[in-house]
Amino acid sequence: MPPELDAATRRDRDQRLAEARERFDAAPDDPEAVIWLGRRTAYLGRYRDAIVIFSKGIEKFPTEPRLFRHRGHRLITTRRFDAAVADLETAARLVAQRPDEVEPDGLPNARNLPTSTLNSNIWYHLGLARYLEGDFEKALAAYRECAKFSTNPEMLVAATHWLYMTLRRLGHDRDAAAVLEPVLEGMDVIENRDDHRLLLVDQGKLSAHDVLAEAADSGNAVAVATVGYGIGNWHFFNGRRREAVELFRRVIAGGSWASFGYIAAEADLARTHVAQH
């Protein structure tokens, strides 16, 4: 299910994919060229094609952690969570003795400022894959590692959002409250504004109703899925399972198939202990 793109965005992504293809054709033995060909392919919603590109890259470069990191991401997108966990665990092993590095953005933010690193992204996606499988203990371990590499406000709120939800799913409410302490209202957040506002809801500083309404009014399908899942979880943690399920179903109806909020809502609805209430 490819993303809905306006004509200008599609032209831009098509052009960037063509450039990535040209670079790869000129240097097929350059792992950087393989990575960008796969990433640019995925940005057009061709997720399975991207997985094939990354897989061929792994055959050539079996110790390149970035290939496992990006294939793991797209295995999550295509709901192959077991395979995603295996890839991301491999990536984590491969970077264990290496210095961390900034990961360049394929879809730059408004300031054209990369905000994440290879290590933070590996552990973030590994935590997510385990969370989607319902393995919250192992998800917790991954998000704890992710937090160690989340050294700016952007990654702090992204990691804390999923870390908090994981702790609440495990019933570790005191620990969950503790991880909220570094989250402040005036943080300089560029990309992960929805995560930040959801954490402020968890702190009781913002209204869940207002944050949900703001996302609905934005016209941004990914924001609707992110916030819808987050507020649904907020209801779930506070014993309002019917409201949670209603919001999870609204997220699915919104159609942002590749967004993590959508995938998480889908996974939760498949779990009997959530959907039966």
Side-chain angles (χ1 to χ4, degrees):
M1 297 180 66
E4 293 185 10
L5 304 174
D6 60 57
T9 300
R10 181 165 292 280
R11 282 195 302 271
D12 179 69
R13 294 191 188 184
D14 281 336
Q15 176 61 33
R16 291 179 184 275
L17 174 57
E19 292 168 358
R21 169 60 69 180
E22 184 177 346
R23 178 183 177 183
F24 172 78
D25 289 342
D29 292 325
D30 179 2
E32 195 80 23
V34 178
I35 290 164
W36 280 106
L37 180 60
R39 293 182 72 178
R40 295 296 182 196
T41 298
Y43 294 151
L44 284 160
R46 293 166 50 189
Y47 307 117
R48 291 181 176 84
D49 290 343
I51 289 169
V52 170
I53 291 166
F54 294 134
S55 296
K56 289 180 178 178
I58 286 168
E59 290 176 7
K60 284 187 175 183
F61 312 106
T63 61
E64 174 51 72
R66 294 173 298 171
L67 287 164
F68 288 97
R69 170 265 187 270
H70 287 291
R71 188 173 71 173
H73 179 177
R74 294 312 172 186
L75 288 167
I76 292 172
T77 306
T78 54
R79 281 53 167 181
R80 295 166 62 187
F81 304 139
D82 286 348
V85 166
D87 266 11
L88 293 159
E89 287 178 343
T90 298
R93 286 195 298 272
L94 289 171
V95 298
Q97 303 303 320
R98 303 186 189 186
D100 200 8
E101 60 188 71
V102 173
E103 188 170 273
D105 289 329
L107 301 174
N109 57 46
R111 298 183 199 170
N112 195 23
L113 180 66
T115 60
S116 61
T117 69
L118 178 58
N119 279 274
S120 66
N121 275 317
I122 289 169
W123 288 108
Y124 179 91
H125 289 89
L126 179 55
L128 178 64
R130 290 170 169 173
Y131 180 101
L132 293 167
E133 287 189 314
D135 191 345
F136 299 120
E137 289 286 358
K138 288 186 177 180
L140 175 60
Y143 282 124
R144 292 286 194 198
E145 287 298 314
C146 180
K148 295 176 184 178
F149 296 98
S150 300
T151 57
N152 59 51
E154 200 72 43
M155 279 309 300
L156 173 65
V157 298
T160 302
H161 173 54
W162 287 96
L163 177 57
Y164 176 82
M165 291 193 295
T166 301
L167 286 164
R168 291 299 304 268
R169 286 295 174 103
L170 289 166
H172 300 336
D173 294 357
R174 183 175 298 178
D175 290 342
V179 302
L180 293 177
E181 291 177 6
V183 178
L184 306 173
E185 291 183 77
M187 295 176 76
D188 184 21
V189 176
I190 311 166
E191 299 175 28
N192 297 318
R193 183 172 179 271
D194 294 323
D195 292 347
H196 183 214
R197 291 176 70 75
L198 287 167
L199 291 167
L200 294 176
V201 170
D202 295 326
Q203 289 179 331
K205 295 177 180 176
L206 287 180
S207 157
H209 177 272
D210 290 348
V211 171
L212 194 60
E214 181 184 348
D217 291 343
S218 71
N220 184 319
V222 174
V224 169
T226 301
V227 172
Y229 182 70
I231 299 300
N233 252 341
W234 176 76
H235 283 299
F236 184 76
F237 302 147
N238 289 288
R240 297 183 293 272
R241 285 185 169 88
R242 181 176 300 176
E243 291 87 344
V245 168
E246 179 183 342
L247 270 175
F248 294 159
R249 288 173 176 160
R250 282 170 56 185
V251 168
I252 300 303
S256 185
W257 186 85
S259 70
F260 294 155
Y262 185 111
I263 299 171
E266 185 181 72
D268 275 352
L269 288 172
R271 293 192 187 104
T272 302
H273 77 280
V274 174
Q276 279 188 345
H277 291 80

